[in-house]
Amino acid sequence: MNDPNKRAIIKVGVREWGANLVCFQEIKLKVLSDVIVRSVWGGSWVKYDWIPAAESAGGILLMWDDRSFEVNENKKGVFSLATLVKDRVSGVEWGFGGVYGPIGEGSKVFFWEELTNMMGEWDIPWVLRGDFNTIRFPEERLGCSMISRAMEEFSDFFNDHFLIDLPLSGERFT
């Protein structure tokens, strides 16, 4: 997000997709201005919340079209940004969580606890989106052939919260 050329490319994508809500992880910004947000998604109706990067890594930016969605509450964690979203047309409420998971085994337990607590805040359907920095199955990583403890914990998290892991579209690996 700190490169104007990359922001111009993102802006084209946001327009082409007709997005009403977008979430970016690893924005690598410690400071975010309205100017940067508007360079990605112009218009006075764009609202946003964010979590700054730690050093030169991480950070989450969530933007939404205030004409489409009412955002009543945001919760910020170390690895997540949760939002209570209400569709202005249908009135349906749902939770959205943008995540940027830690790298390394030691901090994963705290990560799963944070997400579990975040999702426990509101008893509504959830969408989680982001980079969990782990995989669920060996075929999701080139050269991986065994199931690790981290993979089991990730699958347990999905199963415990009745989540659906949407398949990749296009490439085999991200």
Side-chain angles (χ1 to χ4, degrees), residues 117-136:
N117 292 336
M118 172 188 76
M119 293 176 70
E121 290 285 326
W122 306 302
D123 186 23
I124 51 177
W126 277 90
V127 173
L128 294 181
R129 188 240 178 261
D131 187 348
F132 291 83
N133 276 317
T134 192
I135 58 171
R136 291 183 65 205

Side-chain angles (χ1 to χ4, degrees), residues 32-41 46 48:
L32 182 69
S33 68
D34 289 348
V35 172
I36 290 175
V37 170
R38 303 246 187 271
S39 72
V40 174
W41 192 349
V46 64
Y48 68 95

Side-chain angles (χ1 to χ4, degrees), residues 19-166:
N20 292 336
L21 183 144
V22 293
C23 183
F24 299 99
Q25 70 278 342
E26 198 163 14
I27 61 172
K28 299 182 179 182
L29 292 173
K30 291 182 183 179
V31 177
L32 182 69
S33 68
D34 289 348
V35 172
I36 290 175
V37 170
R38 303 246 187 271
S39 72
V40 174
W41 192 349
S44 59
W45 55 86
V46 64
K47 304 293 184 204
Y48 68 95
D49 201 356
W50 72 296
I51 296 175
E55 301 305 318
S56 63
I60 301 170
L61 171 60
L62 176 64
M63 300 184 296
W64 62 92
D65 185 331
D66 195 49
R67 300 170 300 181
S68 299
F69 298 120
E70 178 182 338
V71 172
N72 296 312
E73 194 173 345
N74 291 334
K75 302 276 185 189
K76 296 181 183 185
V78 175
F79 307 106
S80 62
L81 174 59
T83 302
L84 178 60
V85 179
K86 182 176 182 180
D87 186 287
R88 290 193 185 274
V89 174
S90 69
V92 172
E93 286 188 313
W94 49 282
F96 180 87
V99 303
Y100 185 71
I103 298 172
E105 301 294 318
S107 50
K108 290 291 187 193
V109 172
F110 179 70
F111 176 54
W112 301 129
E113 288 175 1
E114 179 178 310
L115 294 183
T116 296
N117 292 336
M118 172 188 76
M119 293 176 70
E121 290 285 326
W122 306 302
D123 186 23
I124 51 177
W126 277 90
V127 173
L128 294 181
R129 188 240 178 261
D131 187 348
F132 291 83
N133 276 317
T134 192
I135 58 171
R136 291 183 65 205
F137 306 107
E139 58 271 13
E140 294 177 344
R141 180 174 292 138
L142 191 60
C144 183
S145 60
M146 296 178 58
I147 296 177
S148 69
R149 180 72 189 130
M151 293 161 68
E152 289 176 352
E153 290 171 353
F154 194 18
S155 287
D156 288 347
F157 176 79
F158 261 78
N159 294 333
D160 291 348
H161 296 284
F162 306 100
L163 298 173
I164 299 168
D165 189 3
L166 298 177

